[in-house]
């Protein structure tokens, strides 16, 4: 059984949670303990720790996620009804590949059961087995990374937290349809990497761009399957991470907003937080990021996949050489743009013909401006 890879939640943490009141979040969660394993038929969200950070550039110490659990479960829940479980931890394997194998198997089993895994790491190279968990699910994958770096590296080099993306892009089977980076900082990325992102028709948003208008990220998450959050994308004065000092980055409010966008997306089926520095200070922001993801999940509008377009207003915008078709939801006022699949497009893409967009994209099209994300998606479809 895949779930044999999971070890129970620490006894000390369970003792701490049992001392909390019935109003705290911990009382609403089913835990994997020495005596019991949660009934997954009643679960919609599963929290899993991965105690392996061998992919980190500067490995600090063994991974300790118990401070995060204590901070998270002492919070008060919202008006939440979904079944939530903490399935414990995947221990570091004899090799990093052993850890990858265990994580991939556990995630694939949960997604098949329509359970959303929340993975707490560990180093960010764990994004790679998370992506590989989709291999047998017959779908293309959209990956969104909240990160100040693109994490490209030499394909021949061992996989690490700063090079996992190369492995995802190059290795077969290639199920990656799109990669989007939220919050990159130019001085941490070579011009060669920035050019490669453009050449591959991927999406990238600079830190300043997103900080100035956080809502531009919402359509990106609405189209994501997998979200990977690097905690070094948060500035140190907000994260409490003074071991890996980061003077610039998202503030606490912004990172929680991005987490909520991830949770509220009907399409996101897997969420991960990585590169925790094992300090109690950083555990506080991690717990709040997790809280906002779960809060967002409870506000999902169930607009994806589109069963019928009856509840959407259709707008046709003629451009010089194109005719763009937009849809606006009566329920949420959110916007989509139609992607016409042509040429030798992979059959697996035909089920995803609508690309989330913003009202500003519609206004730009009315001014004869072709939306950049539409153009990139169209290019990937044709090539």
């Amino acid at each position: 059984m895949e779930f044999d890879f999971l070890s129970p939640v620490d006894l000390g943490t369970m003792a701490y949670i049992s001392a909390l009141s019935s109003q705290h979040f911990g009382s609403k969660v089913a835990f994997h303990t020495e005596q019991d394993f949660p009934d997954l038929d009643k679960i919609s969200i599963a929290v899993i720790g991965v105690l392996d950070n061998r992919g980190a550039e500067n490995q600090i110490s063994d991974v300790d996620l118990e401070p995060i659990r204590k901070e998270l479960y002492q919070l008060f829940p919202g008006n939440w009804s979904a079944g939530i479980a903490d399935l414990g931890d995947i221990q570091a394997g004899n090799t990093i590949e052993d850890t990858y194998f265990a994580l991939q198997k556990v995630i694939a089993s949960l997604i098949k059961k329509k359970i959303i895994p929340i993975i707490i790491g560990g180093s960010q190279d764990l994004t790679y087995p998370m992506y590989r968990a989709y291999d047998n699910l017959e779908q293309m994958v959209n990956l969104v990374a909240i990160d100040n770096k693109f994490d490209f590296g030499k394909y021949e080099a061992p996989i690490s937290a700063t090079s996992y993306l190369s492995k995802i892009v190059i290795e077969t089977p290639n199920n990656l349809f799109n990669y989007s980076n939220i919050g990159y900082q130019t001085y941490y990325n070579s011009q060669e990497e920035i050019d490669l992102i453009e050449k591959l028709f991927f999406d990238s948003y600079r830190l300043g761009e997103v900080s100035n208008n956080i809502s531009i990220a919402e359509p990106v998450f609405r189209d994501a399957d997998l979200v990977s959050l690097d905690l070094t994308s948060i500035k140190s004065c907000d994260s409490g991470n003074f071991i890996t000092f980061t003077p610039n980055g998202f503030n606490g409010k912004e990172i929680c907003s991005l987490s909520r966008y991830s949770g509220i997306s009907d399409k996101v089926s897997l969420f991960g937080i990585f590169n925790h520095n094992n300090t109690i200070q950083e555990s506080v922001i991690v717990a709040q990021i997790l809280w906002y993801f779960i809060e967002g999940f409870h506000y999902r509008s169930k607009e994806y996949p589109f069963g019928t377009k009856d509840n959407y207003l259709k707008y046709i915008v003629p451009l010089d050489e194109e005719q763009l078709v937009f849809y606006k939801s009566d329920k949420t006022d959110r916007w989509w743009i139609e992607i016409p699949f042509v040429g030798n497009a992979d059959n697996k893409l035909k089920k995803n013909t609508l690309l989330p967009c913003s009202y500003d994209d519609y206004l730009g099209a009315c001014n004869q401006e072709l939306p950049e994300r539409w153009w990139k998606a169209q290019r990937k479809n044709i090539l």
Side-chain angles (χ1 to χ4, degrees):
M1 284 290 292
E2 290 83 355
F3 302 119
D4 291 342
F5 292 118
L6 295 163
S7 59
V9 177
D10 178 76
L11 287 173
T13 302
M14 290 306 306
Y16 175 86
I17 294 167
S18 64
L20 298 173
S21 79
S22 61
Q23 300 299 312
H24 287 98
F25 180 33
S27 67
K28 316 294 183 186
V29 177
F31 289 93
H32 176 195
T33 65
E34 298 282 357
Q35 297 79 29
D36 195 25
F37 191 86
D39 180 359
L40 296 180
D41 291 336
K42 300 178 181 178
I43 299 303
S44 298
I45 296 174
V47 176
I48 297 170
V50 184
L51 308 182
D52 198 332
N53 62 359
R54 280 176 284 187
E57 280 187 315
N58 300 309
Q59 187 174 332
I60 300 165
S61 61
D62 293 336
V63 182
D64 181 11
L65 303 179
E66 300 317 310
I68 294 176
R69 285 186 162 99
K70 290 177 180 179
E71 289 292 338
L72 175 61
Y73 296 130
Q74 65 147 0
L75 298 176
F76 293 98
N79 187 21
W80 299 346
S81 57
I84 301 170
D86 188 326
L87 301 185
D89 297 318
I90 294 175
Q91 301 290 330
N94 291 329
T95 66
I96 191 73
E97 288 76 20
D98 291 338
T99 305
Y100 292 168
F101 178 83
L103 182 58
Q104 179 180 338
K105 291 295 185 183
V106 169
I107 290 173
S109 295
L110 291 172
I111 292 178
K112 285 179 183 177
K113 293 177 178 291
K114 301 192 182 306
I115 297 172
I116 297 177
I118 296 176
I119 308 302
I120 312 171
S123 45
Q124 200 179 11
D125 52 296
L126 296 170
T127 305
Y128 171 72
M130 290 168 66
Y131 161 74
R132 288 266 76 105
Y134 289 91
D135 281 354
N136 297 321
L137 299 179
E138 296 297 319
Q139 70 171 82
M140 300 300 282
V141 178
N142 290 337
L143 165 62
V144 174
I146 304 170
D147 202 337
N148 57 18
K149 299 176 183 176
F150 294 130
D151 295 328
F152 282 116
K154 293 183 179 179
Y155 176 68
E156 300 80 11
I159 187 171
S160 72
T162 57
S163 67
Y164 70 89
L165 186 58
S166 297
K167 195 120 175 138
I168 288 176
V169 170
I170 295 172
E171 193 171 82
T172 57
N174 194 316
N175 303 320
L176 184 68
F177 181 65
N178 192 40
Y179 165 80
S180 300
N181 175 283
I182 304 291
Y184 81 95
Q185 297 176 40
T186 307
Y187 38 76
Y188 287 143
N189 299 277
S190 69
Q191 191 58 49
E192 183 182 11
E193 291 175 307
I194 295 171
D195 292 342
L196 183 58
I197 289 288
E198 289 299 313
K199 183 178 179 181
L200 294 172
F201 305 112
F202 290 157
D203 301 316
S204 58
Y205 299 83
R206 291 179 63 179
L207 171 65
E209 226 183 325
V210 183
S211 294
N212 288 336
N213 181 14
I214 197 79
S215 64
I216 66 171
E218 187 276 328
V220 180
F221 289 107
R222 210 185 326 149
D223 199 40
D225 299 290
L226 161 58
V227 177
S228 174
L229 191 159
D230 185 341
L231 288 167
T232 59
S233 65
I234 310 169
K235 58 184 177 182
S236 289
C237 64
D238 281 45
S239 70
N241 180 0
F242 293 99
I243 296 174
T244 307
F245 183 69
T246 308
N248 290 305
F250 290 116
N251 62 35
K253 180 180 176 182
E254 290 164 348
I255 201 68
C256 288
S257 294
L258 296 176
S259 180
R260 189 176 188 276
Y261 283 151
S262 302
I264 211 169
S265 167
D266 292 319
K267 198 165 182 279
V268 169
S269 54
L270 181 54
F271 182 72
I273 298 179
F274 303 103
N275 295 338
H276 174 48
N277 69 358
N278 290 347
T279 65
I280 294 174
Q281 290 85 352
E282 193 177 57
S283 299
V284 178
I285 190 67
V286 176
Q288 293 182 16
I289 291 168
L290 294 169
W291 190 97
Y292 273 99
F293 179 86
I294 299 169
E295 170 82 352
F297 172 83
H298 283 85
Y299 283 91
R300 290 192 173 191
S301 58
K302 310 231 176 354
E303 290 184 315
Y304 181 91
F306 281 69
T308 173
K309 297 187 178 74
D310 293 343
N311 297 323
Y312 300 85
L313 292 173
K314 183 177 181 179
Y315 296 81
I316 299 175
V317 181
L319 274 68
D320 290 339
E321 298 180 358
E322 298 284 350
Q323 179 173 280
L324 301 185
V325 179
F326 290 86
Y327 292 92
K328 179 187 176 185
S329 167
D330 286 345
K331 185 177 181 181
T332 62
D333 288 338
R334 296 191 296 185
W335 289 77
W336 283 262
I337 186 171
E338 193 168 80
I339 306 294
F341 288 106
V342 294
N344 296 319
D346 192 310
N347 288 333
K348 286 187 281 188
L349 301 181
K350 291 183 179 177
K351 64 179 73 172
N352 182 21
T353 59
L354 292 175
L355 179 72
C357 66
S358 67
Y359 177 55
D360 286 342
D361 289 324
Y362 168 72
L363 292 179
C366 291
N367 290 320
Q368 300 298 295
E369 297 173 8
L370 200 64
E372 184 177 2
R373 290 187 69 239
W374 181 92
W375 181 81
K376 288 181 177 180
Q378 180 77 336
R379 292 298 298 170
K380 283 199 286 281
N381 171 51
I382 293 173
L383 296 177

